[in-house]
Amino acid sequence: MGGGDQGRHAGIDLPPGMRPAFARIVQDATDDSGREATTKEAYELFRAAYLAEGAVRLHDWTAHEVAPGVHRFTAALEAGDRVGDYEGRGTGPVTVFADALAGAGHTVEVLGLTEDGTAASAECRVDGVTAWGRARARRPPCTPCCPRGTGWCDE
């Protein structure tokens, strides 16, 4: 997998700002071997970096638009051995989630966001640390292009 291909495999098309971060992850993983990562290896690195559970886990959540341009998010958030119910309000799904995290004691600043209908990628500063994250849509879209019939081309 060459340098220009990182983030463009198995149906994943990462936003331009996320590609250098992912390329560094792949490079770090392959430096010792001196070989390029296979598509499967790169995808496993992607899943571990961007789709695995982090320090805060999300349970039993709902999100909906309560009025035009006003969204509400409620969830049980787990951090360590502590689980609590939190609510967020804002102008869209990402801002309401950031608001809920603030209620749980985390400072979140969304620096950039891209959505493609199947997933959203966001660059955020959380408690002073800048990182990329990716979330898949709750319900997969019906796409005839999916070779696995799951509706998710990145699984």
Side-chain angles (χ1 to χ4, degrees), residues 1 3 5-9 12 14-29 37-39 41-50 132:
M1 165 150 245
D5 292 335
Q6 270 97 5
R8 290 180 176 263
H9 57 83
I12 301 170
L14 299 179
M18 192 177 191
R19 291 177 192 152
F22 182 58
R24 278 189 300 280
I25 290 168
V26 173
Q27 186 68 43
D28 289 346
T38 66
T39 299
E41 290 167 337
Y43 186 67
E44 288 307 315
L45 290 168
F46 173 82
R47 287 180 68 93
Y50 301 114
W132 279 92

Side-chain angles (χ1 to χ4, degrees), residues 48-155:
Y50 301 114
L51 299 179
E53 289 186 354
V56 177
R57 287 168 293 293
L58 183 61
H59 300 279
D60 303 323
W61 62 275
T62 62
H64 59 278
E65 190 171 28
V66 295
V70 179
H71 295 257
R72 181 173 180 253
F73 173 85
T74 57
L77 298 175
E78 178 183 349
D81 60 353
R82 195 173 126 217
V83 177
D85 293 325
Y86 297 93
E87 178 179 318
R89 290 186 178 265
T91 59
V94 174
T95 58
V96 295
F97 185 57
D99 190 48
L101 287 171
H106 297 279
T107 303
V108 179
E109 180 184 1
V110 179
L111 305 173
L113 173 69
T114 61
E115 299 175 89
D116 66 10
T118 62
S121 299
E123 182 180 24
C124 299
R125 186 172 297 117
V126 180
D127 298 330
V129 177
T130 301
W132 279 92
R134 186 160 168 109
R136 293 177 286 198
R138 186 173 226 183
R139 286 179 284 150
C142 179
T143 59
C145 70
C146 183
R148 295 171 195 85
T150 64
W152 290 108
C153 292
D154 64 348
E155 285 193 302

